[in-house]
Every structure is written in structure tokens, then in C-alpha cells.
Amino acid sequence: MHELAITQSMLDIVLDQAEKAEAERVLAVKLSVGELSGFVEESVQFYFNFLVKGTIAEGATVSFTMVPAKARCRNCARVFKLKEFDWSCPDCGQDSIEITDGKELFVESIEVE
Amino acid sequence: MEIKVLKNILSANDEIAERNRALLDKNNVFAVNIMASPGAGKTSLILETIRRLKDKIRIGVIEGDITSSVDAEKVGKEGVPVVQINTGGGCHLDANMIQNALGNMTLEDIDLLLIENVGNLVCPAEFTIGDHKKVLVSSTPEGHDKPFKYPLMFHTVDAVLLNKIDLKPYLDFDLEIFSQAVKGINEKVEVIPISCIGGQGIERWLSWLLIQMGRKP
Ligand SMILES: Nc1nc2c(ncn2[C@@H]2O[C@H](COP(=O)(O)OP(=O)(O)O)[C@@H](O)[C@H]2O)c(=O)[nH]1
Ligand SMILES: [Mg+2]
Ligand SMILES: [Zn+2]
């Protein structure tokens, strides 16, 4: 998977923000990760620990908030949690949807000092 | 101290993709990002498209499939310019790779750029590269439940070409279930059953493509 490239982009954002805030150290990074994004947490932490060496983010922890996949029914507009192998709306039973949540890949916030 | 960031991790990639698209637009190149699982028929579709259109429009190809340079060689034999991208085992093409590839092409001599993405249904859906249209090749042996397994990919594309329709009599593939699932997650998508071997549906794919390019089919 592409976790190395993603982790590098994530670290670029983190260091850029930390620099703007004139921080001396980054202590923690919070990410928002959509369920549909195919993102593997373990390998991100692994690559992160490797890539931060020698930067002000060395030793920082990475935590993830998983965003569940959700969809809006095109018939009745009900928003519901996407089930596996089924698009059908719990209200009206139609199976035509628009994905609303679950694609995110965000740096939420960072903790610095 | 906590700092709110709220920044998309892929934004750096997206910015390069925007620049790629601007460069393509400036040179009047229409770019199509072709995605699929390995073996679904991306290269076959590209070859078939070149054979049928090369007298009408000038085509160029970017080959990103990791399997080898075999695909690039096949395409090169058709007499069109082709650039092979080495993803170094990567699972998708990104905007930066495309930017480099575009630097190695004479864009003024190309009307249609066909980009064969890496065989994978997860990552290519997330990485923008600067294309004008995204096409997914799904094939009948992969089964009619593919859309349920890869919702993000089916949601992202402009057309789904259901390839190997010639094999349908030998499989339990249900076209009705497949089409409904695809339309269910992507209302505007065009679903076109095709066969790169038998030729079924290829004319319909080409008309769709030419219309997207703003040309007469
Ligand atoms: N029966 C059948 N086989 C096909 C069709 N299209 C491609 N193939 C075969 O499927 C295999 C993989 O095709 P290829 O184009 O290399 O797939 P790619 O990995 O997506 O580029 C090759 O052996 C093709 O000859 C089709 O429409 N029908
Ligand atoms: Mg191929
Ligand atoms: Zn509904």
C-alpha cells in the first residue's frame, strides 16, 4: 500500500504547521481517517517513527480517529451508515446512494510545545 | 499547545494534479485515467482504442502498470508515443509521476492521452493525477459484486467498462445486479459492456469517449 508516501505528506504538513507556530517540539499528531480510504494504521506509525528521525517531531505519537462510511439515500435523503455488500436505505429500501463520509484523510490537529 | 490543522493529507498531490491538468489544457490534450484490477483488460482496451482511432486523432500513452515494460512495448508497436512510468513497486500513479512523464512527451502532437494506471482498485481512486475523465475496466470473471467491494472506486469514475462480456455465457455473472450496484453508488456513470477480443461494445465506448472530448463520434 501507499502508506509511506502518505506518511511523508502527513509529516510535511505537520512540520510546516509546527514551524509556522514556532514550536520547538511536536508531541502528538491527530489524524482523521475515513473507513473507505484503505489506510493501514500500523504501517503509518511504523513509517512515521522512521521518517521523523532528526526532526522536531521525533518521538511524537500519532493517533487516529476512524470516520465510519456513511451515505445519503437519493430517494428520501436519509443519511445512514454504509453496510457491506448492501446500499439499501433503512427507511425506504431504495438502493441509490451518495457517499457522504468515509473518504477523509486529514491532519486534524497537532500538539506542540 | 494544540494547533487545529484540518488539512487534507493528499492536498500536495492534488495541487500538482491541478497543474498537470492546466498543462494538458494548454496543449489541448484530453487525458483519460484507466483503472482496473490486474488482468481486467486495461492494455487490451488501450490497444483496441488506438487501432480504431489512430487515423482520426493523435494518441499518446502513459504506461503505469507495474507488471513490466511488456505493455509499453505492445503499445509502442502500434506506432504511438508511449512513456513508461516505473512506480518502483508502488500501488498507484500519483500526480508527481504524471508530471514527470508529461515532461517527456511532445504534448502539441497529442489529442488524446490514455493513462494506464497500476492494477489496483483501492489507491488509484484516492490519488488525483490531473486527468479529464476516469474510466474503470471491470471484467466479468471478477464477479458482479465488485462494486460492493470497492465502493470508492466505483463512486469516483465517469464510466465503467464491463470487459470480457464474451465470457459471460460461461460465468454466473449477473449483469442486472452489477449495473444496479454501479448506478446505485454513482448515478451519472456510464456502464458499457465490452469485449476487447470479440469487439462487442467497443463502438459504444469510442462514441462515449469522442463525445467527452467534444468531437463528433
Ligand atoms: N476473453 C477475453 N479476454 C480478454 C478480453 N480483454 C482482455 N483479455 C485478456 O485478458 C488478459 C489480460 O489483459 P490485459 O489487457 O493485459 O489486462 P491489464 O492487466 O488490465 O492490462 C489478456 O490475456 C487478454 O488477452 C476480453 O474482452 N475477453
Ligand atoms: Mg496492462
Ligand atoms: Zn431512503
Side-chain angles (χ1 to χ4, degrees):
Chain A
M1 303 298 270
H2 52 254
E3 274 71 18
L4 176 58
I6 298 227
T7 309
Q8 183 65 62
S9 309
M10 181 261 278
L11 182 60
D12 291 345
I13 294 173
V14 168
L15 292 177
D16 183 50
Q17 296 285 328
E19 195 178 316
K20 278 186 192 142
E22 294 178 359
E24 278 168 19
R25 270 169 52 74
V26 179
L27 305 173
V29 178
K30 282 193 186 145
L31 307 179
S32 260
V33 177
E35 196 185 348
L36 296 172
S37 74
F39 199 71
V40 185
E41 290 189 22
E42 291 73 23
S43 46
V44 172
Q45 185 70 63
F46 173 80
Y47 288 128
F48 188 80
N49 293 344
F50 170 74
L51 291 169
V52 288
K53 289 207 177 95
T55 74
I56 59 164
E58 191 162 350
T61 57
V62 184
S63 60
F64 300 79
T65 308
M66 269 290 164
V67 183
K70 283 192 190 158
R72 182 184 303 107
C73 171
R74 284 208 192 89
N75 183 48
C76 73
R78 156 93 190 251
V79 174
F80 57 96
K81 217 174 156 295
L82 201 56
K83 292 174 293 245
E84 261 186 311
F85 294 97
D86 184 11
W87 311 147
S88 65
C89 170
D91 277 359
C92 73
Q94 290 271 324
D95 46 14
S96 180
I97 56 170
E98 192 67 55
I99 296 177
T100 56
D101 297 69
K103 297 187 275 187
E104 347 357 58
L105 210 49
F106 272 84
V107 179
E108 273 289 322
S109 63
I110 56 176
E111 178 72 34
V112 299
E113 63 173 25
Chain B
M1 175 178 66
E2 193 187 12
I3 304 173
K4 281 264 165 258
V5 181
L6 282 180
K7 206 167 155 110
N8 188 338
I9 296 178
L10 296 177
S11 54
N13 182 72
D14 292 346
E15 279 160 28
I16 302 173
E18 280 308 316
R19 267 184 267 145
N20 289 345
R21 176 143 41 190
L23 179 67
L24 292 164
D25 285 342
K26 201 178 101 198
N27 288 282
N28 288 314
V29 180
F30 190 85
V32 181
N33 180 2
I34 301 171
M35 299 175 282
S37 319
K42 297 178 293 299
T43 308
S44 306
L45 176 75
I46 289 173
L47 291 171
E48 204 48 36
T49 305
I50 295 171
R51 286 177 194 137
R52 300 203 192 201
L53 286 185
K54 72 177 170 194
D55 295 336
K56 265 202 219 169
I57 52 178
R58 300 168 305 166
I59 301 177
V61 175
I62 294 178
E63 264 306 329
D65 211 356
I66 24 177
T67 34
S68 65
S69 59
V70 176
D71 289 349
E73 282 163 25
K74 281 189 204 156
V75 172
K77 284 209 183 92
E78 299 294 326
V80 301
V82 48
V83 170
Q84 168 83 47
I85 293 183
N86 192 342
T87 59
C91 48
H92 60 273
L93 295 179
D94 65 28
N96 194 40
M97 296 174 192
I98 296 297
Q99 186 177 47
N100 293 337
L102 293 178
N104 288 318
M105 304 188 96
T106 314
L107 295 178
E108 308 87 79
D109 296 343
I110 296 172
D111 304 314
L112 171 63
L113 179 62
L114 300 172
I115 303 170
E116 178 168 349
N117 213 314
V118 180
N120 177 343
L121 293 181
V122 182
C123 324
E126 295 181 74
F127 282 80
T128 53
I129 57 174
D131 55 68
H132 296 91
K133 291 288 164 188
K134 298 179 194 359
V135 172
L136 172 65
V137 183
S138 196
S139 62
T140 52
E142 296 171 66
H144 52 241
D145 56 0
K146 269 266 135 120
F148 293 114
K149 294 183 182 157
Y150 301 95
L152 195 53
M153 174 57 84
F154 279 86
H155 158 88
T156 307
V157 297
D158 301 291
V160 172
L161 306 182
L162 176 63
N163 192 29
K164 310 193 187 180
I165 200 71
D166 56 295
L167 298 180
K168 193 172 165 292
Y170 313 102
L171 306 164
D172 64 351
F173 189 94
D174 190 323
L175 184 55
E176 193 61 30
I177 296 179
F178 179 81
S179 303
Q180 263 192 14
V182 177
K183 288 277 183 188
I185 197 142
N186 188 343
E187 201 175 19
K188 291 189 218 59
V189 74
E190 188 83 12
V191 180
I192 310 177
I194 62 165
S195 169
C196 291
I197 301 256
Q200 294 99 305
I202 298 290
E203 285 305 324
R204 210 183 129 199
W205 144 246
L206 296 176
S207 336
W208 181 85
L209 176 63
L210 290 167
I211 290 169
Q212 306 309 309
M213 293 177 70
R215 297 193 176 223
K216 271 216 198 80

